[in-house]
Amino acid sequence: MTTAIIDYGSGNLRSAEKAFERMAAETGKGGPIVVTSDPDVAARADRILLPGVGAYRDCAEGIKAIDGMWEALDAFTRTGKPFLGICVGMQLMASWGREFYDTPGFGWIPGEVVKLAPSDPALKIPHMGWNRLHGMADHPVFTGIGGEQTGDHAYFVHSYHFVPEDPAHRLGFVTYGQEVTAAVGRDNIIGTQFHPEKSQAVGLKLIANFLAWAP
């Protein structure tokens, strides 16, 4: 049971790799953890993590610059195997990213990624730091992660967020002068705007849940 973390030049993957290795060792699920830029390795994996840091278009072009990777990821999501996107890796599931230019995404979850527009001008963009999770869906990856009852917080760093066409695809939110999408998903794919690898106990729980998830 191999978990592939996709390396396409989008930032330092070490913190995600370490968090996934830790939870794979603790739970006995999902390992070994492999960081790869090889589409064949990705295609053979049992589950995939697509991270992402930076601008939407840069991340999309970074994946497309690896021959066959965009197609391998697209095909993987149709296998029914678990797929997790984090931050821009989650945003790329959308139909469009509206950051600077209109950039097409994978279109797995119809919707668009738009700039945050908090109602309070004192709230700075990017939205950076800890925020309380609300409305978390009843989903195996969120087992034990409440929000309302537990006051669970997660760590965010972003200026844009995902607005799905179908509200049922939004699996959680935070408030930052507006409702901000914290998680999206359908079927075997799920994504978080926040960084589980930086969200301490809440993030490690989510990673453990993902490594055990059997859609």
Side-chain angles (χ1 to χ4, degrees):
M1 297 293 290
T2 301
T3 297
I5 301 178
I6 306 303
D7 180 4
Y8 58 100
S10 175
N12 178 16
L13 304 183
R14 184 58 183 151
S15 59
E17 182 186 11
K18 286 176 63 178
F20 272 71
E21 286 177 343
R22 173 180 170 181
M23 298 320 295
E26 288 187 12
T27 65
K29 305 285 188 181
I33 308 301
V34 178
V35 176
T36 186
S37 55
D38 185 335
D40 293 330
V41 173
R44 293 194 302 268
D46 296 290
R47 63 193 67 231
I48 282 180
L49 165 65
L50 181 66
V53 177
Y56 189 102
R57 173 167 284 196
D58 290 346
C59 288
E61 290 181 348
I63 296 172
K64 290 178 178 178
I66 301 172
D67 188 34
M69 183 61 85
W70 187 274
E71 294 79 10
L73 296 178
D74 193 38
F76 185 91
T77 62
R78 296 193 291 273
T79 66
K81 297 177 183 178
F83 188 103
L84 171 65
I86 293 176
C87 198
V88 184
M90 175 268 263
Q91 295 179 357
L92 287 168
M93 296 176 179
S95 308
W96 292 95
R98 307 298 188 187
E99 185 173 1
F100 304 124
Y101 313 92
D102 288 347
T103 304
F106 285 104
W108 300 330
I109 298 178
E112 60 182 359
V113 176
V114 300
K115 191 167 186 177
L116 295 173
S119 57
D120 182 351
L123 293 174
K124 295 181 179 179
I125 297 177
H127 168 217
M128 183 182 300
W130 294 87
N131 206 321
R132 182 174 176 174
L133 299 171
H134 297 282
M136 303 306 290
D138 181 10
H139 189 286
V141 175
F142 301 137
T143 299
I145 300 170
E148 308 307 321
Q149 294 78 22
T150 60
D152 288 334
H153 286 63
Y155 189 80
F156 292 77
V157 183
H158 65 121
S159 300
Y160 288 74
H161 80 129
F162 192 152
V163 180
E165 287 183 12
D166 183 348
H169 290 150
R170 189 182 79 167
L171 304 185
F173 68 95
V174 296
T175 56
Y176 191 72
Q178 65 182 120
E179 288 192 359
V180 175
T181 300
V184 299
R186 64 163 182 82
D187 305 324
N188 59 307
I189 63 176
I190 194 165
T192 64
Q193 182 62 63
F194 58 89
H195 288 267
E197 76 280 10
K198 297 180 181 178
S199 297
Q200 299 180 1
V202 167
L204 293 175
K205 178 64 175 172
L206 185 147
I207 291 168
N209 290 342
F210 174 72
L211 293 175
W213 182 33

